[in-house]
Amino acid sequence: MPKPFSKAEVEEFFARLKKQTPAPKTELQFVNAFSLLVAVVLSAQATDKGVNKATAPLFKTVDTPEKMVALGEAQLAEAIKTIGLYRTKAKNVIALSKILIERHGGAVPKDRQALEALPGVGRKTANVVLNVAFGEPTIAVDTHIFRVCNRTNLAPGRNVLEVELKLEKVVPDHYKSNAHHWLILHGRYTCVARKPLCPTCTLSDLCRFKDKTRQMPLQKPRISLPEKPKTVRLRKAT
């Protein structure tokens, strides 16, 4: 059984990730808290790049729940048809927009329970919104983070909730705000699923993965640097 990380090793783990990417950001593009919420809902089982391509023209004119409801489900579905499960997602986005208007005065709530009550919003989506829109030290666990935490043995778990709860315990407070950004970028571009790039990994000596790759792939995976998210200052929810 792999040896658990010591506190010193966890500190070093995140110190290296911070040195590599001092100010990590979500790769989803958004203009305010509402468009962030919509983008995260649309990103389920889809790539951030694909979501950004569909939402770039959409968010230029539709950036509030009221405008989204006015757009309507059919037109929204047409706008996001390149994204997987677009019909179901369009239905959920219109429904959550109506709830935001009816129950929250058109604002995105800074509350996990209220967020998770919205159609199409689960724990991961709520964590992303709380972290990115409101600066809460939440940790959203996706497939990349689940893989990294189990492969390295940083925070192993049988499901995403177990991994999240373990991360909350082991990650030092001064790293929590950026922890899930660092981990997702590491999983997306270095600790990839099929053949991790162990020879170039800055965490290789800390990682407990017994089957580390010894050589780089013959053709290195194409990695496009994340675009700088388009954001504006967010208003506090009331």
Side-chain angles (χ1 to χ4, degrees), residues 100-176:
L100 291 178
I101 295 169
E102 295 168 1
R103 302 180 189 174
H104 304 286
V108 176
K110 185 182 176 181
D111 178 82
R112 179 191 298 282
Q113 186 174 1
L115 285 168
E116 290 189 33
L118 298 172
V121 178
R123 186 178 181 88
K124 186 191 79 171
T125 297
N127 278 339
V128 173
V129 172
L130 289 171
N131 178 273
V132 177
F134 303 112
E136 294 291 311
T138 53
I139 300 176
V141 178
D142 69 348
T143 55
H144 295 296
I145 297 177
F146 182 78
R147 178 175 65 254
V148 170
C149 289
N150 276 286
R151 185 179 275 171
T152 63
N153 205 49
L154 173 69
R158 293 169 295 180
N159 53 59
V160 293
L161 181 58
E162 280 190 13
V163 170
E164 179 189 335
L165 296 178
K166 285 189 177 181
L167 284 172
E168 288 180 352
K169 290 182 179 179
V170 303
V171 178
D173 289 343
H174 52 284
Y175 290 129
K176 279 185 178 176

Side-chain angles (χ1 to χ4, degrees), residues 25-125:
K25 303 291 183 182
T26 178
E27 294 184 329
L28 288 171
Q29 295 178 0
F30 62 97
V31 297
N32 54 24
F34 173 69
S35 59
L36 170 66
L37 173 61
V38 172
V40 181
V41 169
L42 297 180
S43 71
Q45 299 182 45
T47 65
D48 288 359
K49 184 177 180 180
V51 172
N52 290 339
K53 185 176 181 180
T55 58
L58 176 68
F59 290 159
K60 287 181 179 179
T61 56
V62 183
D63 56 1
T64 67
E66 292 81 2
K67 292 177 182 178
M68 189 64 75
V69 171
L71 179 68
E73 185 178 329
Q75 284 187 271
L76 175 58
E78 178 65 23
I80 63 171
K81 64 182 180 181
T82 56
I83 301 174
L85 304 174
Y86 72 94
R87 289 190 178 89
T88 298
K89 291 176 180 179
K91 182 178 181 180
N92 285 336
V93 168
I94 295 300
L96 72 82
S97 297
K98 291 179 179 178
I99 292 174
L100 291 178
I101 295 169
E102 295 168 1
R103 302 180 189 174
H104 304 286
V108 176
K110 185 182 176 181
D111 178 82
R112 179 191 298 282
Q113 186 174 1
L115 285 168
E116 290 189 33
L118 298 172
V121 178
R123 186 178 181 88
K124 186 191 79 171
T125 297

Side-chain angles (χ1 to χ4, degrees), residues 156-238:
R158 293 169 295 180
N159 53 59
V160 293
L161 181 58
E162 280 190 13
V163 170
E164 179 189 335
L165 296 178
K166 285 189 177 181
L167 284 172
E168 288 180 352
K169 290 182 179 179
V170 303
V171 178
D173 289 343
H174 52 284
Y175 290 129
K176 279 185 178 176
S177 291
N178 290 320
H180 92 265
H181 294 297
W182 284 318
L183 291 170
I184 194 172
L185 290 173
H186 188 68
R188 189 172 284 168
Y189 298 119
T190 300
C191 195
V192 294
R194 292 187 178 181
K195 193 168 185 179
L197 310 184
C198 301
T200 62
C201 178
T202 60
L203 306 172
S204 185
D205 59 314
L206 296 172
C207 175
R208 310 297 202 245
F209 186 45
K210 66 178 181 178
D211 298 321
K212 290 186 178 71
T213 53
R214 303 302 176 185
Q215 296 179 336
M216 293 290 287
L218 294 177
Q219 184 176 1
K220 188 175 179 180
R222 294 182 179 180
I223 298 174
S224 57
L225 294 176
E227 298 178 8
K228 184 178 180 181
K230 299 176 182 179
T231 62
V232 296
R233 184 173 294 178
L234 303 173
R235 295 180 298 174
K236 293 184 177 179
T238 56

